Amino acid sequence: MFGWEFPPHITGGLGTACFGMTKGLLKNGVEVLFVVPKAYGDESQEAVRLINASDVSIDIRKTEELEFWKNITYLEVNSSLVPYVGPEAFDNLMESAEKVTTLSEDSIFNARYTFSGKYGENLLEEVARYALVGAQIARDSQFDVIHSHDWLTYAAGIAAKQATGKPLVVHMHATEFDRSGENVNQRVYDIERSGMEAADRVITVSNLTRNIVIDRYGIDPAKVITVHNAVEPTEQIDFSQVEKHVPEKVVTFLGRVTFQKGPEYFIEAAYKVLQRDPNVRFVMAGTGDLLEKMIRRVAQLRISTRFHFTGFLRGENVDRMFAMSDVYVMPSVSEPFGISPLEAMRSNVPVVISKQSGVAEVLQHALKVDFWDIDAMADAIYGLLQYKSLPRMFSKYGAQEVNSLKWENAATHIKRVYEQVC
């Protein structure tokens, strides 16, 4: 299995999904060798054997590496176009927005290469090198099937398939259309399409994503299978005594502050709610390329005293944020799935989600609105804040519903996909 990140070192939902998925697969009797560009040594290996690509050497004298390199071409990509920008990479990218990645054989064919494991200006160089290392790892390992997560690892999956002849499954967690709307990065689109065309099966996280894969990438519907994501059971940590330090109700947005997540709609809905009830506080937890714009918009609307920006949260801090929240909102413009509403519901927090999200396909006890309908979003938030029986009902039945969405059940379907191609 090729991934780009693994807890606790994550920048979004991809690493979280991979962690839950591998634990579910272990319960289904599947052993996973999980490859990451850079391992830090503190990752949980309860369900995987983690392989650090930075520890793997390749022999540039081998014909296979040279032949593979001749068959792939990576063009220069502006650094500001890369997805999943984390808090550390964000500052660097803003300072080097005009820079582009230039690949050279000297940088690619080092005997050993230390990956940054980040989403910076050398991302395409790392993707290319990761593919070469992936082929080497595949030749040196015993396994039955290759599983690649998202476009960053598709080239590695293809290389491993070419090196061993083993079947390839690619997992589409988010498409370029989700990340960029119609302003797609053509190189990323091409990598996504080539990965899906080379794959024996394509797993999508929702039917919403499956339809995009078929309609926008031209992939054969017969090999595209939907397996909805799930959520990890929370550890039994008592957050009942967590203090908000404010008397007002708290409404939370938690996710990357990017086009895909619709943060601007959250702010506009917040403004409408505050016109009716000024005793509410709104929290935007996360970072991304729209963060500065969102801060300016909050200032323009003169709601700064009722709005808080926390920066990126992970682990226990996410659970603490949910413990302080009265309502969670996910206003995504295009959300392939969306694990964060499940995490909120697991914490007994009622949720408002956009109809343009994959998770809307599996949730019944959530309020669903169109992402662009800020009036409906504001009404939903206001209703959950003002009418006591409404949040009580959604919290009770929502928690029961989300507890049935287990990774071991999703992993049963993924194992079935493996069995189809082996």
Side-chain angles (χ1 to χ4, degrees), residues 126-185:
E126 296 209 349
V127 168
R129 173 69 189 208
Y130 193 45
L132 293 174
V133 174
Q136 183 67 46
I137 292 171
R139 279 192 289 266
D140 294 342
S141 304
Q142 295 295 319
F143 61 94
D144 301 294
V145 64
I146 305 155
H147 190 157
S148 289
H149 291 282
D150 256 9
W151 70 272
L152 294 165
T153 73
Y154 285 0
I158 294 172
K161 180 178 180 177
Q162 291 177 347
T164 64
K166 296 295 177 66
L168 170 64
V169 174
V170 301
H171 213 123
M172 182 59 81
H173 295 265
T175 72
E176 181 61 9
F177 292 97
D178 297 309
R179 291 182 290 266
S180 306
E182 295 300 320
N183 300 314
V184 299
N185 177 338

Side-chain angles (χ1 to χ4, degrees), residues 183-195:
N183 300 314
V184 299
N185 177 338
Q186 189 61 41
R187 284 304 300 152
V188 174
Y189 172 88
D190 291 342
I191 293 171
E192 288 179 331
R193 186 175 60 182
S194 63

Side-chain angles (χ1 to χ4, degrees), residues 53-67:
S54 296
D55 290 339
V56 178
S57 300
I58 61 172
D59 186 349
I60 63 174
R61 297 166 297 179
K62 284 190 175 181
T63 305
E64 300 98 311
E65 272 81 359
L66 294 174
E67 286 301 314

Side-chain angles (χ1 to χ4, degrees), residues 256-288:
R256 295 190 309 277
V257 188
T258 61
F259 160 82
Q260 179 187 353
K261 301 297 182 178
E264 61 268 46
Y265 301 101
F266 178 72
I267 290 174
E268 299 303 326
Y271 176 74
K272 287 183 174 292
V273 171
L274 289 168
Q275 302 310 297
R276 300 165 69 179
D277 182 1
N279 295 314
V280 181
R281 290 185 183 263
F282 290 83
V283 174
M284 183 165 284
T287 188

